[in-house]
C-alpha cells in the first residue's frame, strides 16, 4: 500500500508543478481552477500503471506530462471544442479523458520497456504460467483504450441525441451553463449592524 501512495504522491506533485508553469505559459498568468484540475490529472494518469515496479523518475515524468496535457487542454483544446459546438462545462475531457488515455498509453510503454514480465510490484503474483507476455499485455492495454474510447463516443452521441428530445422546455444557447432560469431566487434582505459601539 505504501508503494501506491508514493506513486500517487509523486505524480500529483509533478503534475502540480508542471500545471503551474504551463498555465502561466499559456495564459501569461495563473488560472487557479486550471491548475487545480491539472494537478488532479496526475492522479488520474496513475490508473493503469499504479502497481508497476519502476524507477522513481517514471511516475514523476508521467504525472508531469499529464499536468502539461491537462493544462494545455484547458487553455487551448476547450476553446476549439466550443467553436465546433461541443460543450464540456465540467472540463471532464481535460481532467479525465486526456490524462486517462495518456496514463494508459504510458502503462503500455512501461510494459514494453520491461523484461521478463517484471513490470509488476514484488508483492503481485504474476507468473509465466499465466500465459502472459509483455507483448500480450501491451495488446490488452491498447485494446482496453480502444474499447473505452469507443464506448465513450457511442454513449456520448446517444446522450446528445437523448437530450434533444423535446420533453422539457429548451434553453437558449447563450444560457446553457446558466442555471438561474431553473431556480427561484430569494429576495435579499439587508443585514443591519446591531452591535453597540
Amino acid at each position: 500500500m505504501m508503494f501506491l501512495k508514493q506513486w500517487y504522491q509523486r505524480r500529483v506533485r509533478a503534475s502540480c508543478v508542471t500545471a503551474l508553469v504551463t498555465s502561466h505559459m499559456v495564459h501569461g498568468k495563473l488560472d487557479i481552477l486550471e491548475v487545480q484540475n491539472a494537478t488532479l490529472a496526475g492522479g488520474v494518469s496513475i490508473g493503469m500503471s499504479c502497481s508497476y515496479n519502476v524507477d522513481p523518475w517514471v511516475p514523476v515524468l508521467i504525472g508531469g506530462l499529464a499536468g502539461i496535457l491537462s493544462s494545455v487542454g484547458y487553455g487551448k483544446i476547450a476553446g476549439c471544442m466550443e467553436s465546433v459546438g461541443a460543450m464540456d462545462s465540467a472540463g471532464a475531457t481535460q481532467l479525465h479523458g486526456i490524462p486517462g488515455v495518456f496514463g494508459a498509453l504510458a502503462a503500455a510503454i512501461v510494459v514494453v520497456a520491461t523484461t521478463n514480465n517484471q513490470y509488476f510490484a514484488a508483492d503481485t503474483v504474476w507468473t509465466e504460467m499465466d500465459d502472459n507476455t509483455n507483448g500480450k499485455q501491451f495488446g490488452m492495454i491498447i485494446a482496453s483504450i480502444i474499447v473505452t474510447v469507443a464506448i465513450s463516443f457511442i454513449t456520448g452521441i446517444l446522450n446528445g441525441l437523448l437530450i434533444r428530445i423535446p420533453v422539457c422546455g429548451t434553453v437558449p444557447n447563450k444560457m446553457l451553463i446558466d442555471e438561474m432560469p431553473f431556480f427561484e431566487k430569494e429576495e435579499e434582505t439587508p443585514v443591519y449592524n446591531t452591535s453597540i459601539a
Side-chain angles (χ1 to χ4, degrees), residues 38-174:
T39 298
L40 295 173
V44 170
S45 67
I46 196 173
M48 286 286 272
S49 58
C50 63
S51 64
Y52 290 176
N53 187 20
V54 295
D55 293 329
W57 63 268
V58 175
V60 171
L61 177 67
I62 293 171
L65 291 174
I68 290 170
L69 288 172
S70 180
S71 189
V72 168
Y74 276 102
K76 302 292 182 189
I77 297 173
C80 294
M81 288 174 59
E82 286 181 21
S83 68
V84 296
M87 184 65 72
D88 184 8
S89 61
T93 302
Q94 294 81 14
L95 174 56
H96 297 285
I98 296 169
V101 171
F102 170 72
L105 290 172
I109 292 168
V110 168
V111 166
V112 170
T114 58
T115 57
N116 300 327
N117 276 354
Q118 297 304 313
Y119 50 87
F120 277 121
D123 60 348
T124 303
V125 178
W126 190 287
T127 65
E128 291 293 332
M129 292 175 54
D130 293 328
D131 192 34
N132 208 359
T133 63
N134 290 25
K136 191 172 181 182
Q137 184 68 21
F138 174 81
M140 287 190 282
I141 291 172
I142 298 300
S144 71
I145 294 170
I146 293 168
V147 168
T148 301
V149 170
I151 290 171
S152 299
F153 275 113
I154 292 167
T155 56
I157 290 169
L158 290 175
N159 215 0
L161 294 173
L162 182 66
I163 63 173
R164 289 176 188 239
I165 297 174
V167 175
C168 300
T170 59
V171 178
N173 282 343
K174 65 179 182 163

